[in-house]
């Protein structure tokens, strides 16, 4: 067993800085063939830690720790028989382990060392020991580690001690003793006898000294007992202080938790307050803007300025960035309803005013050709554009907030202005026809009506080819060879070129001016406004509004498709405004075709190079002579 103990100390415990105190060769109660070693080990460095290990020997003859328990985990020890003759004993940790010791002496040694370590390191939480002989565990009140009663045959485990070097005084005393006993070297027995005599003399003197100091020893014992009593009082007071400190510590921990909760609540309140202030600042609409939305005065510059500012404020409030959870608040929903009411009222006011204005401008006679008798000039409507430019932002607001009203206003504008352009273009081409025929009389202001001019032009066209019994066909096919070339003066062709070039030059700035105005006024270069469109934020979970659908579909369109759609939108509106341009131009060409059919081929070449639909910065029609 000594060899096994040495091997275990060297291979298992020494690498972990532990010292082996006791060992017992055991097996489980019902499995006696499978043996192992129960070991008690203590750390060599502070803090001191005592552990119980189960060590088994592997197939390669190597000892290895299988289980380990801290000494504090031990709950009870049961020796099974108070006589100490049994091989069985139980150790209870998290569960009860039943062991069978191979050697009774090892069992006794193991249980005694276990009891000593528990008494030494676990004075308050010492486990319970049952069915052990009284002489093994002794009296706990008078127990001193170096004075434990040992039963016969018990061998105290010897712990390894460090080598102690003799001091100078001890070395001198030893030399003095050796010098007095010269025979110590030659006769060891004589030297031993002398030492025994001296030792007996010293023991006798020690006994006499102890007997002489019996009273002092009694006084010392009394003082020791008083010191023990005082120590117990101090210990009891320290225990009470410890309990108070534990109570204070628990109270402080609870207060700290409460402080943390209060701090978290304060932070949450501050965040809530800031969020509420942010929502209020975004959804709050000043009273002056509310009055401007409800009772808008679009006829005066000051009222128009207030209406534009109120519309922008309402647009910003309805498209504010608000968390979806806050949208469900009753206050936000009520404010949304107010916004809807103000938006509807303001949109109706804008629609009514602009609708009347468009109709009025479309019915206004304005400038006519009678003011330009000497030159072929198409009247321009810059005054209408200037009058409508002040309402541009309101029209943009309608496109962003009320697409239905915007579409209706667009139709009213195109219907009204198309009548105005139709009147001007018809008069313009009638004037051009008169200049081609060479029969136009100079007229001042207040010239005849369109019907008079048309009747005269028809008569001039019939008389242009000379008297004839039957009307001549307008085309070349079906004519005789001698009639293919009509006798047309070169000056007439030159006059037609000049009139056509002049007509195209007059049409281009008018069309471009109207196109630029429509793109800017109706925001045709933007498919969907840059804002979120009609309260998509306030609607929370989403609505079925057409504006939101348009915004989502527009955002997903590629760039080329967006440009194509913008071009189509501009072309459509310009086509509605100048719907009479193509028929009048065809009629003008057909009018000259009756005079000179061969020259129409040159006219075709001129028209192909002159009329080009282009898409520059502002897509639409552009006329280049």
């Amino acid at each position: 067993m000594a060899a096994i103990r040495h091997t275990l100390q060297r291979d298992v415990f020494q690498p972990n800085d532990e010292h082996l105190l006791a060992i017992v060769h055991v097996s489980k109660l019902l499995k006696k063939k499978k043996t192992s070693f129960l070991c008690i080990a203590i750390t060599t460095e502070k803090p001191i830690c005592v552990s119980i290990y189960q060590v088994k020997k592997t197939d390669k003859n190597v000892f290895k720790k299988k289980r380990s328990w801290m000494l504090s985990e031990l709950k009870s020890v049961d020796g099974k028989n108070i006589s100490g003759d049994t091989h069985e004993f139980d150790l209870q940790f998290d569960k009860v382990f039943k062991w069978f010791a191979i050697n009774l002496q090892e069992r006794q040694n193991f249980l005694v060392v276990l009891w000593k370590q528990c008494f030494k390191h676990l004075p308050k939480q010492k486990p319970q020991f049952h069915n052990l002989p009284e002489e093994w565990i002794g009296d706990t009140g008078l127990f001193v580690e170096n004075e434990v009663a040992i039963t016969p045959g018990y061998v105290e485990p010897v712990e390894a001690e460090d080598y102690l070097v003799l001091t100078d005084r001890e070395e001198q005393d030893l030399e003095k003793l050796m010098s007095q006993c010269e025979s110590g070297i030659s006769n060891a027995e004589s030297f031993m006898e002398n030492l025994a005599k001296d030792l007996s003399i010293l023991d006798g003197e020690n006994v006499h000294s102890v007997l002489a100091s019996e009273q002092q020893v009694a006084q010392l014992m009394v003082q020791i007992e008083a010191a023990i009593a005082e120590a117990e009082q101090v210990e009891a007071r320290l225990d009470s202080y410890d309990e108070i400190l534990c109570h204070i510590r628990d109270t402080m921990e609870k207060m700290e938790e409460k402080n943390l909760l209060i701090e978290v609540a304060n932070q949450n309140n501050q965040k809530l307050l800031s969020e509420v202030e942010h929502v209020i600042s975004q959804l709050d609409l000043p009273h002056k803007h509310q009055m401007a939305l409800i009772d808008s005065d679009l006829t005066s510059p000051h009222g128009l300025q207030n209406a534009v500012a109120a519309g922008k404020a309402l647009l910003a409030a309805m498209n504010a960035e608000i968390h979806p959870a806050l949208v469900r608040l009753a206050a936000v929903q009520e404010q949304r309803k107010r916004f809807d009411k103000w938006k509807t009222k303001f949109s109706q006011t804008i629609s009514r005013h602009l609708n009347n204005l468009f109709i009025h401008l479309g019915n206004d006679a304005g400038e006519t050709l009678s003011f330009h008798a000497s030159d072929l000039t198409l009247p321009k409507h810059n005054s209408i554009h200037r009058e409508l430019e002040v309402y541009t932002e309101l029209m943009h607001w309608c496109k962003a907030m009320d697409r239905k009203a915007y579409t209706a206003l667009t139709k009213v504008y195109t219907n009204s202005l198309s009548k105005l352009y139709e009147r001007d273009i018809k008069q313009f081409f009638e004037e051009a026809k008169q200049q081609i025929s060479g029969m136009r009389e100079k007229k001042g202001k207040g010239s005849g009506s369109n019907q008079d001019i048309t009747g005269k032009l028809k008569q001039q066209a019939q008389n242009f080819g000379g008297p004839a019994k039957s009307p001549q066909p307008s085309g070349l096919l079906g004519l005789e060879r001698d009639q293919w070339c009509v006798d047309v003066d070169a000056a007439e062709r030159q006059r037609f070129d000049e009139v056509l070039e002049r007509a195209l030059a007059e049409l281009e700035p008018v069309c471009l001016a109207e196109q630029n105005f429509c793109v800017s006024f109706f925001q045709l270069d933007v498919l969907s406004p840059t804002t979120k469109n009609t309260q998509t934020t306030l609607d929370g979970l989403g609505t079925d509004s057409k504006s939101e659908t348009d915004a989502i579909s527009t955002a997903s369109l590629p760039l080329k498709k967006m440009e194509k759609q913008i071009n189509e939108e501009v072309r459509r509106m310009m086509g509605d405004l100048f719907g009479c341009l193509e028929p009048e131009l065809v009629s003008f060409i057909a009018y000259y075709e009756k005079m000179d059919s061969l020259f129409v081929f040159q006219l075709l070449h001129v028209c192909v190079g002159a009329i080009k639909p282009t898409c520059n910065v502002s897509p639409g029609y552009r006329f280049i002579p």
Side-chain angles (χ1 to χ4, degrees), residues 26 60 112 200 204 240 258 336 360 364 392 433 441 452 620:
V26 296
K60 298 180 181 180
V112 171
S200 62
S240 64
K258 291 182 179 179
R336 182 184 65 83
H360 173 71
D364 189 10
T392 302
K433 291 177 183 179
E441 297 178 358
D452 296 336

Side-chain angles (χ1 to χ4, degrees), residues 346-397:
F346 190 57
S347 178
Q348 291 175 355
T349 303
I350 296 174
S351 300
R352 182 170 59 253
H353 181 78
L354 293 181
N355 186 75
N356 296 335
L357 185 59
F358 292 160
I359 295 175
H360 173 71
L361 294 176
N363 296 330
D364 189 10
E367 298 179 349
T368 61
L369 290 176
S370 61
F371 292 91
H372 308 281
S374 59
D375 298 328
L376 182 62
T377 306
L378 182 64
K380 299 177 176 61
H381 300 287
N382 295 330
S383 59
I384 296 178
H385 295 165
R386 286 193 299 270
E387 187 174 353
L388 292 178
E389 281 179 354
V390 295
Y391 301 100
T392 302
E393 293 184 356
L394 294 180
M395 181 57 68
H396 294 175
W397 185 92

